[in-house]
Amino acid sequence: MIPYGRQSIDDSDIEAVVRVLRSDWLTTGPAVEQFERKVADYTGARHAVAFNSATSALHGACHATGLGPGDVVHTSPLTFIASANCARYVGARPALIDIDERTWNIDVSLVDENVSALVSVDYAGLPVDLAALAHRPRVVIQDASHALGAQTPDGPVGNCAHSDVTVFSFHPVKPVTTAEGGIATTNDDALADRMRRFRSHGIDRTARANAWEYDAIEVGYNYRLTDVQAALGASQLDRLDLFVSRRNEIAARYRDLLAALPVALPPAAPAGWVHGYHLFAIHVPHRDEVFARLRAAGIGVQVHYVPVHHHGVSVDIDVPSAGYPVVERVYSGLISLPIYPDLTEADQDTVVAALSRILTDLA
Ligand SMILES: *Cc1c(COP(=O)(O)O)cnc(C)c1O
């Protein structure tokens, strides 16, 4: 099976992990601090706070920015359910806005002034144009799980030029991996402190009279990343730019190879932007049949995503009677083709040949 995404692990990654296993620290210690510094330096943010997943980082971001009951949090319908659940975790209510045909990201012109927060999602690795927001809500959190290594004219995604917090995921299919893991970047010292406290039981670390004293001043969680994972992440980060350029090469080659087929290609990055190409999702006719036949041919395609409001958990979302027409149209034909740094040209040719044969059969 050629998967739709997978990690790229080399000997330097393995050696970095083994070094930590031979050291005194396994859980949150010096390797986590080094990894956080490295991500902060890469993105240009003041702080990076590591978590054991992007989901927990999103929870931490919603908590630290003060979201709670009574708050309405906009996000995209075309995302993983965690982008909406983070509002629910803190007692806030998720609300959706349709996507823009030209980007497959939320339509930034539809963000209204009555919502407390926006959790923007850089779908497939194409950054949301936050500089073009019609209204800036009180809180802006970027779910950039797809977009580490991507750039806008304002610089690297994660520098928080137009947001309070940016969150990245390190799941194996994401731009770099720690097996499971996530991180939140911010330029705000107080937000960084609050997220650090939240990820470790709400314990305030201010020095006290006795070395053993500590004070849990609020409810927190154990959302810590381990040193073992952080060592893998730091080692992976050295190859991030290589990974992103390889993904861009694969995407450009798909665009050439698919040009003659009756499919719609994904939105491209504007001039001056860098696309992360976490996904290469296209729009095909007869999607359900194409999906089944590609899987049967050994190609591990996937659909990203079943829209947020289609899930049973989303009974709390007020869907307008007209629905979200753009996302419904895009979703009806959506399919993610394999893309990852180690995908070979031969594998890519296999994918395109299979798709071409199937589309001819179904025409
Ligand atoms: C992967 C992903 C998440 C969740 O990341 P985890 O690290 O698996 O918790 C959240 N949002 C989006 C858009 C994702 O793609």
Side-chain angles (χ1 to χ4, degrees), residues 72 109 152 183 199 266 286:
V72 175
S109 72
T152 75
I183 209 161
R199 78 170 172 193
H286 315 291

Side-chain angles (χ1 to χ4, degrees), residues 45 229 236 263:
Q229 294 169 296
Q236 289 258 300
V263 303

Side-chain angles (χ1 to χ4, degrees), residues 10-363:
D10 74 4
D11 287 343
S12 66
D13 296 330
I14 293 167
E15 282 156 21
V17 169
V18 169
R19 256 194 312 280
V20 170
L21 288 173
R22 294 190 197 285
S23 79
D24 293 335
W25 279 95
L26 292 185
T27 187
T28 315
V32 166
E33 266 179 44
Q34 283 158 21
F35 181 46
E36 289 178 337
R37 185 85 321 265
K38 214 161 166 170
V39 170
D41 289 346
Y42 183 90
T43 56
R46 259 172 86 78
H47 305 280
V49 182
F51 283 83
N52 58 4
S53 71
T55 303
S56 47
L58 285 166
H59 187 185
C62 287
H63 172 83
T65 52
L67 297 174
D71 287 320
V72 175
V73 182
H74 263 164
T75 192
S76 172
L78 192 61
T79 187
F80 185 55
I81 195 70
S83 312
N85 279 344
C86 59
R88 296 177 173 128
Y89 296 153
V90 296
R93 198 164 59 78
L96 301 175
I97 22 180
D98 207 352
I99 58 171
D100 184 331
E101 196 103 56
R102 294 163 301 179
T103 62
W104 297 0
N105 282 327
I106 51 147
D107 186 337
V108 285
S109 72
L110 299 179
V111 175
D112 70 61
E113 31 199 351
N114 301 317
V115 297
S116 321
L118 170 66
V119 174
S120 64
V121 180
D122 303 323
Y123 180 78
L126 179 62
V128 173
D129 188 3
L130 289 174
L133 269 184
H135 297 280
R136 197 219 194 259
R138 173 163 59 83
V139 173
V140 177
I141 295 167
Q142 292 176 262
D143 179 350
S145 292
H146 299 184
L148 186 60
Q151 298 204 22
T152 75
D154 289 315
V157 173
N159 70 359
C160 299
H162 302 284
S163 67
D164 300 291
V165 180
T166 302
V167 168
F168 298 104
S169 171
F170 304 127
H171 178 278
V173 296
K174 302 294 164 75
V176 299
T177 191
T178 62
E180 293 281 359
I183 209 161
T185 61
T186 184
N187 294 320
D188 183 313
D189 299 354
L191 283 181
D193 283 348
R194 260 180 257 150
M195 290 193 288
R196 280 182 207 290
R197 197 167 68 211
F198 186 75
R199 78 170 172 193
S200 199
H201 307 285
I203 291 171
D204 177 58
R205 291 285 172 194
T206 316
R208 288 165 214 283
N210 300 298
W212 45 265
E213 282 185 273
Y214 64 92
D215 190 9
I217 60 170
E218 62 177 346
V219 176
Y221 295 79
N222 177 352
Y223 277 167
R224 296 186 301 263
L225 191 72
T226 67
D227 263 26
V228 181
Q229 294 169 296
L232 175 57
S235 173
Q236 289 258 300
L237 214 54
D238 290 337
R239 303 201 301 294
L240 173 59
D241 288 342
L242 222 93
F243 290 165
V244 171
S245 68
R246 183 66 198 123
R247 285 175 180 277
N248 274 272
E249 280 168 22
I250 294 167
R253 193 157 180 273
Y254 268 137
R255 288 183 186 280
D256 287 344
L257 296 173
L258 297 173
L261 301 190
V263 303
L265 296 172
W273 296 49
V274 176
H275 199 311
Y277 281 114
H278 160 58
L279 299 174
F280 194 84
I282 64 172
H283 190 277
V284 297
H286 315 291
R287 189 270 315 276
D288 300 0
E289 191 61 29
V290 169
F291 181 93
R293 292 191 190 199
L294 281 170
R295 280 279 180 98
I299 296 161
V301 285
Q302 188 50 279
V303 173
H304 298 97
Y305 292 94
V306 173
V308 168
H309 57 292
H310 290 202
H311 290 277
V313 69
S314 296
V315 286
D316 55 353
I317 293 178
D318 290 329
V319 181
S321 54
Y324 304 105
V326 184
V327 78
E328 303 299 354
R329 198 160 60 245
V330 168
Y331 169 60
S332 69
L334 207 57
I335 193 164
S336 298
L337 302 183
I339 189 165
Y340 49 90
D342 296 340
L343 184 75
T344 64
E345 290 198 352
D347 285 343
Q348 203 180 2
D349 292 340
T350 303
V351 172
V352 173
L355 179 62
S356 168
R357 183 166 23 83
I358 292 164
L359 288 171
T360 306
D361 278 359
L362 292 174

